[in-house]
Amino acid sequence: MPYASGRAATAWPDLSWSAEVERAAAPLYEKVARVVPPVEWRVFAPLILAINALKAERGAVILAHSYQTPEIYHCVADIVGDSLQLARQAAEVEADILVQCGVHFMAETAKLLNPTKRVLCPDPGAGCSLAASITAADVRALRRRYPGVPIVAYVNTSAAVKAEVDLCCTSSNAVTVVESLGAPRVIVVPDRYLAAYVASQTTIEIIAWPGACEVHERFTGEDIARYREGDGDLRIIAHPECPPDVIAASDFTGSTSAMIAWVRANRPRRVALITECSMADNLAAEMPETDFVRPCNLCPHMKKITLTKILACLRTLGGEITIDPAVAEGARQSVRRMIDLGS
């Protein structure tokens, strides 16, 4: 497959800080100056300029999840958003090369929707506790245990799992997806907390799998009470992957995109986002009037993606995502059915 550069690899660029680099990167630093200190920017700026130059040379598009750090999210990404937004937009881009700055299952989803394109992950070892909590064999066992009951898989699953289920969902559309099946009982895998949240929003009986996000499950209702102590202005918004006591104690619950939309619409004076903490950094960069209280739980998998790895990925076209064709067809159908719902 031809690429814009005409080469399989490029030379490693000069990454030293200089007055020229400072001038060239100044417009980008304006975007992140509130959350990236100058001492870090001297390291980031040469990498960012090199990535953006090589991205243009390769004709590549960079997709970044909202949990990526600000220097990636604001300075090199072409498309940003939560897993549903990235899934939709990945299906529409025209570039031959997609670089997915997120965890492995996100890169797999991008590949499912773009089978003829080269999809790269800067660190294919960037996993997910949810994706690791269930296998295709587990789904087949659920089929045998609950014959005739439809199964919905959160997108935080492997392609092999997606191939075994009826439909995929994200935290943005899980309730809509479950109700679209018209069944009295639905199995929702693998996040037990998302399943509990869906059950609270619908009359359909939800059968849950006992998986959890290692970031969100660490939050507790006691944490929320502690954040509120002596801080009557603080608004707290939570992700549905959090435990039920966290959701009950919060002012708003919604997906990554819904949380961002809520903050932008309500412009609270002080807010705590009960989710992976890089999202607060990314919003703080664009909203100087809001004080973001940061109960910082970092995703160790998301943080495997760095500027250095993105540059290396673009240089060598390494980290390519491949999916067994026998798995890809079924998995693609599950994702497509979700996107076709239009929610």
Side-chain angles (χ1 to χ4, degrees):
M1 182 183 294
Y3 296 99
S5 68
R7 292 171 289 170
T10 66
W12 193 260
D14 178 10
L15 298 176
S16 58
W17 174 260
S18 66
E20 181 181 357
V21 167
E22 184 176 15
R23 286 192 300 271
L28 292 170
Y29 191 49
E30 290 179 7
K31 297 181 178 181
V32 296
R34 295 186 68 247
V35 293
V36 176
V39 67
E40 292 183 6
W41 186 249
R42 292 172 68 92
V43 177
F44 293 157
L47 284 161
I48 289 166
L49 294 178
I51 288 167
N52 287 337
L54 187 51
K55 176 179 67 174
E57 180 182 347
R58 292 292 200 192
V61 165
I62 295 178
L63 300 90
H65 191 270
S66 298
Y67 296 164
Q68 291 296 298
T69 50
E71 68 275 8
I72 295 173
Y73 184 91
H74 286 288
C75 298
V76 302
D78 301 292
I79 298 171
V80 297
D82 66 10
S83 52
L84 178 59
Q85 291 167 323
L86 295 179
R88 285 175 169 163
Q89 294 189 63
E92 298 173 359
V93 296
E94 297 181 357
D96 289 331
I97 302 173
L98 305 179
V99 179
Q100 174 66 69
C101 295
V103 295
H104 189 269
F105 79 80
M106 295 179 183
E108 277 193 332
T109 303
K111 181 63 176 179
L112 290 171
L113 297 172
N114 296 272
T116 64
K117 297 176 182 178
R118 178 169 282 191
V119 176
L120 311 177
C121 183
D123 188 335
C128 171
S129 60
L130 280 170
S133 74
I134 191 167
T135 67
D138 292 328
V139 179
R140 291 191 291 269
L142 285 170
R143 293 267 191 218
R144 292 191 295 271
R145 183 176 180 184
Y146 299 99
V149 178
I151 303 177
V152 171
Y154 199 16
V155 292
N156 299 43
T157 48
S158 67
V161 167
K162 290 180 175 71
E164 296 289 341
V165 303
D166 298 285
L167 193 60
C168 288
C169 75
T170 73
S171 56
S172 298
N173 65 9
V175 175
T176 299
V177 166
V178 165
E179 292 184 340
S180 75
L181 292 165
R185 305 170 77 197
V186 175
I187 300 167
V188 175
V189 301
D191 189 335
R192 65 180 180 271
Y193 296 125
L194 179 64
Y197 176 75
V198 172
S200 75
Q201 304 295 307
T202 183
T203 59
I204 295 169
E205 180 187 352
I206 301 298
I207 301 169
W209 180 260
C213 167
E214 64 187 281
V215 172
H216 292 98
E217 73 172 340
R218 292 203 299 267
F219 292 107
T220 67
E222 289 79 9
D223 291 335
I224 307 305
R226 188 167 59 253
Y227 302 148
R228 290 195 190 278
E229 288 178 3
D231 195 348
D233 289 335
L234 181 65
R235 304 300 300 276
I236 296 179
I237 61 176
H239 194 281
E241 289 178 21
C242 293
D245 61 337
V246 172
I247 291 173
S250 299
D251 298 304
F252 173 80
T253 300
S255 67
T256 301
S257 60
M259 293 172 76
I260 292 172
W262 188 96
V263 174
R264 286 174 174 161
N266 289 276
R267 301 282 166 169
R269 192 179 72 82
R270 285 169 58 76
V271 66
L273 307 185
I274 310 303
T275 188
E276 213 278 350
C277 67
S278 287
M279 195 168 86
D281 291 336
N282 291 327
L283 277 173
E286 68 177 73
M287 298 178 63
E289 73 281 6
T290 295
D291 179 15
F292 287 84
V293 177
R294 292 172 172 84
C296 199
N297 282 353
L298 287 170
C299 174
H301 309 291
M302 284 284 185
K303 295 308 177 273
K304 288 183 177 182
I305 307 301
T306 64
L307 290 173
T308 300
K309 290 179 180 178
I310 296 169
L311 179 59
C313 175
L314 281 167
R315 282 187 60 247
T316 65
L317 302 179
E320 183 169 5
I321 300 298
T322 59
I323 304 172
D324 183 337
V327 169
E329 184 56 34
R332 186 177 301 114
Q333 289 179 14
S334 295
V335 177
R336 277 288 181 195
R337 289 184 193 121
M338 173 188 72
I339 291 176
D340 290 345
L341 286 175
S343 59

